[in-house]
Amino acid sequence: LAAPHYFEGNTIFTSAGLMAAFTPDRRIRVWQMSDWTVLYELKGKTPVFSPDGKLLAALDGDELHLVNAVDGSAVTVFKLAGAAGLQFSPDSSLLIATSKVEVNVWKTGDGSEVFKSNPARILRTSFSNDGGLFLVQSQNQQGEAGLSIWQAPDWSLASTIKASGTVVMQPDGRQLFVYSNYPATGQVSIYNLPDGRLVSKFRTGGSIYRLAISPDSTRMAISLPDPVAGVLALYDTTGKLIKKVT
């Protein structure tokens, strides 16, 4: 029997009505959703639309292709050995690519490189909602985890935080929450941004599955285990428990 054909990875959309997906043989297809016309195809995988919907970036081996989202015409090509992840800055002016050991940032306008970092192992990267801060979570050669906070306008290092766990940034970009179940179960550490100062720590009394911050940055919801239905614990952003709901 012939191998089945399918699309893999996440299907992505733009507010302008475009949709993109890719196949296992590394073909990206882009549709216009108003009439489901296939606009174009590209060689590559893991496509990402820019937040303004004007650009599409995709991986193809050690090359990163940046094209116009509407017609697929080439804008520029970047190179990063072992590239595995792509993201745009919130204002679409920057393209970020990560491999296991390197982070590169380029301007989407002229293709110039504005930032490069080479930790021993990269875990994740993210921007604050306003694009002013760029976070790199990594491990050094001794296996110690840490966070580097960069000022995106001039790419100066604002602070480093020695912490391991899952990272959640407040929507207003003023604080960073790091939660972990090891070595202490259900621990949350809160840091000010951009200086990385530890503000407080608290324990939830159970393993944390997820942590989310409200859009106004005043509340957090933490998912905790329960024998019957699970529990959401609601805290203010100082770590004071407000209520538990099931």
Side-chain angles (χ1 to χ4, degrees):
L1 294 176
H5 296 276
Y6 56 90
F7 290 96
E8 66 178 29
N10 293 327
T11 300
I12 59 172
F13 302 87
T14 72
S15 57
L18 302 182
M19 182 179 81
F22 70 99
T23 61
D25 60 352
R26 299 194 173 195
R27 299 298 304 178
I28 298 167
R29 189 172 298 167
V30 179
W31 293 265
Q32 176 65 59
M33 290 192 295
S34 59
D35 58 7
W36 296 108
T37 301
V38 176
L39 298 178
Y40 56 90
E41 290 189 355
L42 297 171
K43 183 183 177 184
K45 65 176 184 176
T46 58
V48 179
F49 283 118
S50 60
D52 63 10
K54 296 179 180 179
L55 298 169
L56 182 144
L59 298 174
D60 183 19
D62 292 338
E63 293 185 340
L64 293 69
H65 292 263
L66 187 65
V67 303
N68 286 306
V70 173
D71 59 12
S73 58
V75 175
T76 190
V77 177
F78 306 105
K79 292 185 180 295
L80 176 60
L86 289 174
Q87 68 182 112
F88 285 92
S89 61
D91 65 359
S92 304
S93 67
L94 301 171
L95 176 66
I96 300 88
T98 57
S99 68
K100 290 183 178 180
V101 296
E102 190 171 325
V103 180
N104 283 64
V105 182
W106 299 275
K107 290 183 179 180
T108 56
D110 60 14
S112 60
E113 184 180 80
V114 296
F115 177 76
K116 184 175 182 178
S117 180
N118 299 90
R121 182 188 175 198
I122 296 167
L123 302 177
R124 60 182 58 87
T125 62
S126 62
F127 274 97
S128 58
N129 284 350
D130 66 1
L133 296 177
F134 183 62
L135 181 150
V136 178
Q137 187 175 25
S138 61
Q139 284 183 333
N140 61 24
Q141 293 180 344
Q142 289 72 43
E144 299 169 331
L147 300 157
S148 300
I149 312 298
W150 302 84
Q151 299 275 10
D154 61 5
W155 296 100
S156 60
L157 181 62
S159 60
T160 57
I161 299 171
K162 291 184 178 181
S164 62
T166 303
V167 176
V168 180
M169 195 181 300
Q170 269 185 341
D172 63 12
R174 294 181 179 180
Q175 289 188 322
L176 187 71
F177 297 76
V178 182
Y179 69 91
S180 175
N181 295 310
Y182 180 83
T185 301
Q187 180 167 290
V188 181
S189 300
I190 306 172
Y191 300 87
N192 274 347
L193 293 176
D195 63 17
R197 180 174 61 87
L198 179 64
V199 178
S200 65
K201 288 184 177 182
F202 67 95
R203 298 277 299 277
T204 61
S207 296
I208 299 172
Y209 290 154
R210 295 286 188 274
L211 184 153
I213 309 295
S214 63
D216 64 0
S217 299
T218 62
R219 299 287 188 270
M220 64 178 128
I222 297 177
S223 177
L224 300 173
D226 181 82
V228 179
V231 172
L232 280 178
L234 304 178
Y235 294 82
D236 68 18
T237 49
T238 69
K240 181 181 178 181
L241 180 65
I242 301 170
K243 186 178 181 63
K244 289 184 177 182
V245 296
T246 58

